[in-house]
Amino acid sequence: MIASAQVVIFFVFYIAIFGLSLWALIDLLGRPASAFPQAGKRTKGFWGAIVGVATAVSFSVIPIPGVPHLPSFLALLAAVGAIVYLVDVKPAVSPYSRRRGPRGPSGPSGGW
């Protein structure tokens, strides 16, 4: 009973790390490359490699019965890469990569 509960808890843990990494990757792909140097951060390619590898590793660590997977401690490394991007890089890059919504007659130009 306890062993099966542990398996479920670890499975949820690995899925959460994969979701976190995927969220970081999707956010990164939506940012312009010029925003990273403007914010004083490494290039988009550098962070793309970090977050891309973190996403791939976190997916490969998910324990699926009958399918070989990577050692589980690598999930923690993947989580670190995604968390550093989401907590440090994303807030720094956000002001330089504002996403604009639809413009109507009362948009930024005032309509005239």
Side-chain angles (χ1 to χ4, degrees):
M1 180 70 170
I2 292 177
S4 63
Q6 287 177 335
V7 169
V8 170
I9 290 169
F10 277 114
F11 184 75
V12 169
F13 178 69
Y14 294 133
I15 293 294
I17 291 175
F18 174 65
L20 186 74
S21 300
L22 189 61
W23 173 31
L25 183 63
I26 290 169
D27 182 79
L28 177 114
L29 293 175
R31 305 281 174 190
S34 62
F36 290 82
Q38 288 176 346
K41 299 297 177 184
R42 296 266 188 142
T43 64
K44 183 177 181 177
F46 174 83
W47 285 107
I50 297 290
V51 176
V53 168
T55 305
V57 166
S58 64
F59 179 76
S60 299
V61 170
I62 297 172
I64 300 171
V67 177
H69 54 85
L70 293 176
S72 57
F73 76 90
L74 292 176
L76 296 176
L77 297 176
V80 168
I83 289 169
V84 167
Y85 173 79
L86 290 171
V87 172
D88 181 45
V89 178
K90 180 184 177 208
V93 172
S94 290
Y96 302 100
S97 58
R98 293 282 178 211
R99 295 183 178 114
R100 295 189 174 104
R103 292 185 180 181
S106 61
S109 64
W112 292 96

